[in-house]
Structure formats: structure tokens, C-alpha cells
């Protein structure tokens, strides 16, 4: 039963987590090496305009797919909320508001509704994957002193891939939920962004992790136009014929524990679609 709870937490929490590559020790060692840099290419105005047209078209198809979905999770609704801040849409707004109401008693209700209650955090975060998810949920938890303690511990270590991106997101979520972090934790944000950008440069994509990094860099950093164009081209190309984005299984490793989760399916598709929509929306707004 405990393992089931861990897997459920994984499915609900990880931002856009629906498939990527194995993130074991071998890949971590590869990431420590200096990646082969992609040459910075000049983007012609017509090329940029054509890509914007493709991105807008992809978003229209994605919207239709999203409106047909019959099940969501708090993490995906949070992604749609961020998208709507960039590109308001009455139909998607109605969808998100309905699901905010449905999740009023969910442990992560505070993630998508500032009027909801913070979830109760355990005194001991536990070990392994269980510990990871307690740390990730901390920005939405109480007591707030414990939440700050857990986030501080989480972002203090050198991590990779999804564990890394969620180190950055705990800082973002803490800011969104008015959770005051120590300056040394907030200052880690730029270091984490730099590491995420390095990993992205070494990744040929596409995957949910690739899209997740693109979202983070487009939303919270200032990537070059040539980098952003490359990411969006790959994301658009990966869209399914029905307007959604699919996902692959992946291996998650933390605190000496490893599990394989995710893969094609209802949850994976909705999370991937919302994540990709946010990437496209951020690109269109920023460039």
C-alpha cells in the first residue's frame, strides 16, 4: 500500500511527468561532462513567423484535445492556469475552474486554489522516492516552518533531470504561495537554471523532460531566440494527430531508490499536452 501511495504521488505531482529517459548513475555521469554545444544560428524573420504560425495551429489542435479530456490532475490544471495567464481563453478557463472545484478536498488543492487549505506535512520526510515527493509537495504544505526546512534541504544537493527541474519548481511554487525562503535558497534559482540549460543543450528531445526544461527556461529564464526556436520546432513536430502529446515511461531515482513510472495513457497524455501548451504559449508571448 505504501508503494502504491508513492506511485500515486508521483503521478499527481511531477510537473509534466509522463515519460522520459532513464536518469540513473550512468546518465548522471554523462551530464557532468561538457555537452557538445549546438551552434547558435541566426533565425530569419520569415522562419520565425512560420514557426509562430505552426505553434498557433498546434495550440488550436491541443485546445480541442484538452476540451475533450474527461479526467485531469492538479498538476495539469496548474499548467493550464499558467497558460491562461499568458493566453486567456474562455473555454479553457471554464474547464480549469470546474476542476479547481472538483479538487477542493484534494491534498494539493492549495496548488491551484489560494483559498484552499495547505496540506499537513509529516515531521519526517522519509526516505527514497517517498522523501522526494514530500519535498516536492512542501511549497503547498504546513506548518510553513517545516515546509521551508524541507525545501532548503531539497535544493541543497546536486541533482539531475526531473529531480533538478523540481528543485527549481519548489522555489517557484514557494514564491507563488507566499512562502518566504531563506536568501541562500532563493539565490540557488540562477544556479539551477544554468544547470537546466546545460542539460537541455545536451538533449536532442523530444520527451516530457525536454518540454519541461523548455517551459522552465522560457518562463523563468531568458533563452536565446535560436535555442527557443529549436525547442519549439521539436515540440510541434512531436504533436499527435489528435492534437495531444503522448509520453513514455521513465526511471526516477532519488536518495538511493529507483522506480519506473509513467508511460502512455490518460494521465500521461493530459500532463504532456498541458505542458506542451505552456511551452508553446510562453514562446509565442516571449518572442
Amino acid at each position: 500500500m505504501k508503494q502504491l501511495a508513492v506511485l500515486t504521488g508521483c503521478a499527481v505531482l511531477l510537473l509534466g511527468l509522463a515519460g522520459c529517459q532513464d536518469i540513473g548513475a550512468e546518465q548522471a555521469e554523462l551530464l557532468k561532462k561538457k555537452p557538445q554545444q549546438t551552434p547558435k544560428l541566426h533565425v530569419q524573420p520569415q522562419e520565425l513567423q512560420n514557426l509562430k504560425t505552426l505553434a498557433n495551429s498546434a495550440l488550436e489542435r491541443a485546445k480541442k484535445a484538452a476540451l475533450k479530456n474527461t479526467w485531469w490532475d492538479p498538476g495539469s490544471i496548474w499548467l493550464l492556469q499558467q497558460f491562461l495567464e499568458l493566453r486567456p481563453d474562455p473555454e479553457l478557463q471554464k474547464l480549469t475552474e470546474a476542476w479547481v472545484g472538483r479538487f477542493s478536498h484534494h491534498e494539493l488543492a492549495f496548488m491551484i486554489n489560494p483559498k484552499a487549505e495547505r496540506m499537513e506535512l509529516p515531521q519526517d520526510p522519509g526516505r527514497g522516492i517517498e522523501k522526494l515527493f514530500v519535498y516536492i509537495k512542501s511549497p503547498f504544505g504546513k506548518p510553513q516552518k517545516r515546509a521551508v526546512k524541507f525545501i532548503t534541504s531539497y535544493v541543497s544537493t546536486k541533482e539531475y533531470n526531473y529531480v533538478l527541474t523540481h528543485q527549481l519548481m519548489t522555489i517557484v511554487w514557494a514564491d507563488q504561495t507566499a512562502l518566504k525562503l531563506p536568501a541562500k535558497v532563493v539565490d540557488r534559482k540562477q544556479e539551477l537554471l544554468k544547470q537546466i540549460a546545460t542539460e537541455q543543450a545536451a538533449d536532442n528531445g523530444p520527451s516530457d523532460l525536454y518540454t519541461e526544461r523548455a517551459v522552465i527556461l522560457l518562463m523563468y529564464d531568458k533563452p536565446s531566440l535560436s535555442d527557443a526556436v529549436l525547442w519549439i520546432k521539436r515540440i510541434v513536430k512531436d504533436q499527435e494527430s489528435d492534437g495531444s502529446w503522448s509520453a513514455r515511461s521513465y526511471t526516477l531515482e532519488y536518495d538511493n531508490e529507483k522506480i519506473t513510472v509513467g508511460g502512455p495513457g490518460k494521465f500521461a497524455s493530459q500532463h504532456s499536452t498541458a505542458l506542451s501548451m505552456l511551452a508553446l504559449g510562453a514562446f509565442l508571448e516571449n518572442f
Side-chain angles (χ1 to χ4, degrees):
M1 185 63 68
K2 181 177 179 181
Q3 181 69 4
L4 177 60
V6 171
L7 290 173
T8 301
C10 181
V12 170
L13 265 182
L14 290 183
L15 178 62
L17 267 188
C20 72
Q21 307 129 343
D22 189 307
I23 58 172
E26 182 178 351
Q27 186 180 4
E29 287 300 319
L30 289 174
L31 287 169
K32 292 177 183 179
K33 299 178 181 179
K34 186 176 181 180
Q36 186 176 7
Q37 296 295 325
T38 302
K40 302 295 183 182
L41 302 177
H42 178 69
V43 179
Q44 298 293 334
Q46 188 59 52
E47 178 186 3
L48 178 60
Q49 187 56 49
N50 290 344
L51 183 57
K52 287 183 176 181
T53 299
L54 288 174
N56 276 306
S57 177
L59 280 177
E60 283 300 313
R61 296 195 303 276
K63 173 185 171 180
K64 292 178 181 179
L67 292 173
K68 290 179 181 178
N69 285 339
T70 58
W71 188 87
W72 291 87
D73 64 277
S76 298
I77 294 301
W78 182 86
L79 289 167
L80 289 180
Q81 288 176 329
Q82 309 315 299
F83 174 80
L84 288 168
E85 289 186 11
L86 299 174
R87 297 171 70 86
D89 181 282
E91 291 179 289
L92 290 175
Q93 183 68 40
K94 184 177 179 180
L95 181 150
T96 58
E97 289 175 355
W99 281 96
V100 166
R102 295 186 189 188
F103 288 127
S104 60
H105 298 295
H106 194 282
E107 69 169 357
L108 289 173
F110 189 64
M111 182 185 200
I112 55 177
N113 181 5
K115 296 181 180 180
E117 289 290 324
R118 289 179 175 270
M119 64 174 289
E120 193 73 35
L121 293 171
Q123 292 186 8
D124 185 347
R127 296 178 177 81
I129 301 300
E130 178 185 10
K131 181 179 181 180
L132 172 64
F133 290 109
V134 169
Y135 280 171
I136 293 174
K137 290 185 285 188
S138 294
F140 316 111
K142 63 179 182 181
Q144 294 188 39
K145 184 177 180 180
R146 187 176 300 162
V148 171
K149 177 183 176 182
F150 285 171
I151 294 171
T152 301
S153 177
Y154 180 38
V155 305
S156 66
T157 58
K158 181 73 174 288
E159 305 295 344
Y160 303 92
N161 296 322
Y162 279 116
V163 181
L164 166 63
T165 56
H166 284 76
Q167 285 180 315
L168 186 283
M169 289 310 302
T170 57
I171 297 175
V172 170
W173 285 326
D175 181 61
Q176 286 190 348
T177 59
L179 186 65
K180 187 172 178 59
L181 297 175
K184 66 177 182 180
V185 177
V186 177
D187 290 345
R188 279 277 287 150
K189 184 176 179 180
Q190 292 306 313
E191 297 175 28
L192 295 172
L193 284 170
K194 184 177 180 179
Q195 188 183 347
I196 290 168
T198 299
E199 287 193 5
Q200 186 74 338
D203 190 349
N204 292 324
S207 68
D208 278 15
L209 177 57
Y210 186 87
T211 303
E212 182 168 300
R213 291 200 208 96
V215 166
I216 288 173
L217 295 171
L218 287 164
M219 294 284 289
Y220 311 117
D221 203 11
K222 296 180 180 179
S224 68
L225 174 59
S226 60
D227 282 342
V229 164
L230 176 63
W231 305 336
I232 297 305
K233 282 183 177 180
R234 288 173 173 170
I235 292 170
V236 168
K237 186 177 180 180
D238 198 43
Q239 188 177 28
E240 301 290 339
S241 59
D242 67 354
S244 68
W245 278 264
S246 61
R248 307 163 187 86
S249 63
Y250 63 94
T251 300
L252 186 66
E253 184 176 1
Y254 187 72
D255 193 33
N256 298 316
E257 185 176 354
K258 182 188 295 187
I259 59 172
T260 300
V261 293
K266 182 182 294 184
F267 169 80
S269 175
Q270 290 168 358
H271 236 72
S272 300
T273 299
L275 189 66
S276 298
M277 289 175 68
L278 183 53
L280 296 177
F283 170 73
L284 290 168
E285 290 304 304
N286 292 340
F287 295 97

